[in-house]
């Protein structure tokens, strides 16, 4: 009897040891994981090539993922947590997930409705997905004040939450709100804003907030469509409007109509207007304006946004506008052609001089 009990004790101890070894191996294997998988379906997704974009090992990675009958699955390499963005074949956002090495993420995605996406596989992605779904109406409203207030409220109440960082990076409308964005980022506790996640965003904010908004506009030299070198100088008129565009944004949002309305209303001694192209290639720029009926100056600068005369303005997206007075003092800088028109009309009201 004693031997039988003793044998059972030995067996139990062996099982316990084997179990401990297996757990240890499992923990080690999880700690060394360098891949993650994402699978799921796209509602009415059909057959296409989806794109997955994520940052890992110091580089932006773009994967082409085949989707068959709305179903997809892929594996990717990552040695640290990262955000993965999923886009349809025509580059429309489908959804986002935050993944850790070793994760198996499951998705239900909807065409042209990223805030409906259902993401599971880890606690952060699940809470992120729920927040977006719960606040879908605000996030789809295109109302900057409401969207930013929503994100600001979450961050101020959850400064130790990684989701605060994800919402700031993806939903907060940063252009024209860089100072507040910088404050919000600083308010998030360091452990909730990993450097690998925020380094590009920090660079964007630094570029914008370090620019001296009161720096004099001075002069911009540019090449005209006939390849002659010209300049636009602030002191040549009471006010000046400069639009910075490229081939993809030049015809967006009624830019030409708004500039044409301003040109028709004010004499060029009162208001100078220029559309400066930041296209990388002068040929591309010329082709994009060949059928243009612009009544204002148009030009192209060598080096685009990195040009010395342009870089100092801290332009972080296109189109971008600057309104300045005759002394070169910047009165408006931002991305709204509507606000440009308001600023000019306010300054020049009752001073209309027709040509």
């Amino acid at each position: 009897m004693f031997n039988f009990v003793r044998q059972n004790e030995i067996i139990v101890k062996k099982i316990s040891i084997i179990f401990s070894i297996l757990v240890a191996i499992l923990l080690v294997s999880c700690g060394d994981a360098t891949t993650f998988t994402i699978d799921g379906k796209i509602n009415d997704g059909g057959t296409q090539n989806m794109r997955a974009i994520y940052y890992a090992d110091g580089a932006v990675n773009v994967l082409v993922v085949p989707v068959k009958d709305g179903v997809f699955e892929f594996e990717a390499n990552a040695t640290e947590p990262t955000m993965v963005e999923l886009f349809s074949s025509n580059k429309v956002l489908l959804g986002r997930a935050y993944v850790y090495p070793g994760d198996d993420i499951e998705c239900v995605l909807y065409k042209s409705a990223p805030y409906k996406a259902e993401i599971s596989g880890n606690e952060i992605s699940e809470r992120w997905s729920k927040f977006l779904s719960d606040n879908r109406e605000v996030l789809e409203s295109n109302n900057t004040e409401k969207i930013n207030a929503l994100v600001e409220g979450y961050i101020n109440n959850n400064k130790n939450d990684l989701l605060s960082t994800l919402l700031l990076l993806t939903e907060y409308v940063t252009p024209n709100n860089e100072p507040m964005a910088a404050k919000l980022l600083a308010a998030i506790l360091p452990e909730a804003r990993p450097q690998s996640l925020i380094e590009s965003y920090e660079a964007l904010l630094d570029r914008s907030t370090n620019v001296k908004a009161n720096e004099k506009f001075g002069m911009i030299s540019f090449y005209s469509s006939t390849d002659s070198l010209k300049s636009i100088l602030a002191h040549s008129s009471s006010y000046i409007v400069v639009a910075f565009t490229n081939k993809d944004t030049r015809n967006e949002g009624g830019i030409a109509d708004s500039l044409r309305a301003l040109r028709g209303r004010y004499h060029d001694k009162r208001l100078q207007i220029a559309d400066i192209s930041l296209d990388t290639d002068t040929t591309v720029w010329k082709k994009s304006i060949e059928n243009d009926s612009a009544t204002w100056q148009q030009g192209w600068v060598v080096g685009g946004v990195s040009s010395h005369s342009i870089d100092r303005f801290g332009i972080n997206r296109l189109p971008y506008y600057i309104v300045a007075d005759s002394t070169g003092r910047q009165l408006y800088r931002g991305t709204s052609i509507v606000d440009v028109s308001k600023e000019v009309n306010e300054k020049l009201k009752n001073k209309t001089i027709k040509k």
Side-chain angles (χ1 to χ4, degrees):
M1 179 67 178
F2 175 81
N3 288 338
F4 177 77
V5 172
R6 180 62 177 168
Q7 287 176 346
N8 281 345
E9 288 178 349
I10 293 173
I11 291 173
V12 169
K13 286 182 179 179
K14 285 183 177 181
I15 292 174
S16 178
I17 292 171
I18 292 172
F19 178 77
S20 298
I21 293 172
L22 289 174
V23 169
I25 292 172
L26 179 61
L27 290 174
V28 169
S29 65
C30 288
D32 291 340
T34 58
T35 63
F36 62 86
T37 61
I38 296 182
D39 62 80
K41 61 180 181 179
I42 305 174
N43 188 268
D44 295 326
T47 298
Q48 59 173 291
N49 282 328
M50 184 177 74
R51 284 178 172 77
I53 301 175
Y54 70 100
Y55 183 85
D57 301 322
V60 175
N61 298 273
V62 181
L63 303 179
V64 177
V65 180
V67 180
K68 185 176 181 180
D69 297 327
V71 178
F72 66 89
E73 180 178 6
F74 68 93
E75 182 178 272
N77 296 315
T79 57
E80 58 185 351
T82 186
M83 178 172 65
V84 181
E85 298 182 299
L86 305 174
F87 293 87
S88 67
S89 57
N90 57 347
K91 301 179 182 178
V92 175
L93 179 67
L94 294 169
R96 296 183 174 101
Y98 190 73
V99 302
Y100 297 85
D103 271 355
D104 184 3
I105 302 295
E106 296 185 0
C107 310
V108 177
L109 308 175
Y110 299 85
K111 291 171 63 177
S112 303
Y115 300 123
K116 286 181 62 178
E118 302 163 29
I119 313 292
S120 60
N122 64 52
E123 183 260 349
I124 287 292
S125 287
E126 289 168 9
R127 287 197 297 112
W128 190 7
S129 175
K130 185 177 187 306
F131 180 91
L132 297 180
S133 178
D134 290 347
N135 295 281
R136 182 182 169 193
E137 184 177 351
V138 172
L139 295 169
E140 290 180 344
S141 69
N142 291 321
N143 186 314
T144 297
E145 291 185 4
K146 289 184 178 181
I147 294 171
N148 283 1
L150 175 68
V151 176
E152 288 171 17
Y154 189 89
I155 292 174
N156 289 329
N157 291 317
N158 301 275
K159 296 178 181 178
N160 63 341
D161 188 352
L162 177 62
L163 182 54
S164 291
T165 299
L166 294 171
L167 292 175
L168 179 62
L169 297 182
T170 60
E171 304 302 335
Y172 193 78
V173 184
T174 301
N176 302 329
N177 297 292
E178 290 88 356
M180 177 55 74
K183 289 181 181 179
L184 291 170
L185 183 61
I188 301 171
L189 298 181
E191 58 267 29
R193 48 179 170 92
Q195 190 61 33
S196 60
L197 190 62
I198 66 169
E199 57 186 353
S200 295
Y201 190 70
E202 278 188 317
L204 172 67
L205 291 179
D206 287 342
R207 178 180 177 81
S208 299
T209 56
N210 289 340
V211 170
K212 298 178 181 177
N214 60 354
E215 182 177 344
K216 298 298 182 182
F217 180 84
M219 176 186 76
I220 292 180
S221 295
F222 58 86
Y223 286 95
S224 70
S225 58
T226 59
D227 294 326
S228 58
L229 188 61
K230 295 186 176 182
S231 297
I232 184 169
L233 301 99
H235 64 72
S236 297
S237 60
S238 300
Y239 297 93
I240 183 172
V241 171
V242 181
F244 299 95
T245 63
N246 63 6
K247 69 177 181 65
D248 296 321
T249 61
R250 192 160 291 116
N251 298 314
E252 285 183 359
I255 296 174
D257 290 341
S258 296
L259 295 181
R260 186 171 289 106
L262 290 173
R263 178 71 292 145
R265 185 173 184 186
Y266 302 112
H267 191 281
D268 55 13
K269 288 297 182 182
R270 288 290 188 186
L271 180 68
Q272 291 184 84
I273 301 176
D275 178 4
I276 302 300
S277 166
L278 299 184
D279 288 302
T280 56
D281 191 316
T282 182
T283 304
V284 171
W285 166 61
K286 288 180 180 179
K287 185 176 181 179
S288 72
I289 64 169
E290 60 185 2
N291 297 318
D292 206 331
S293 58
T295 54
W296 50 89
Q297 296 188 76
Q298 292 179 298
W300 175 82
V301 292
V302 178
V305 73
S306 299
S307 168
H308 175 69
S309 62
I310 304 300
D311 179 70
R312 62 195 177 94
F313 293 122
I315 296 171
N316 53 37
R317 63 175 296 181
L318 298 176
Y320 199 86
Y321 309 94
I322 291 178
V323 179
D325 63 16
S326 59
T327 69
R329 181 170 62 98
Q330 295 184 51
L331 305 175
Y332 171 83
R333 45 186 289 118
T335 59
S336 171
I337 188 62
V338 174
D339 289 341
V340 168
S341 298
K342 287 180 180 178
E343 182 69 31
V344 171
N345 290 328
E346 175 65 26
K347 291 294 185 291
L348 287 173
K349 62 183 178 181
N350 301 322
K351 298 178 183 179
T352 302
I353 302 177
K354 295 181 179 179
K355 288 187 175 182

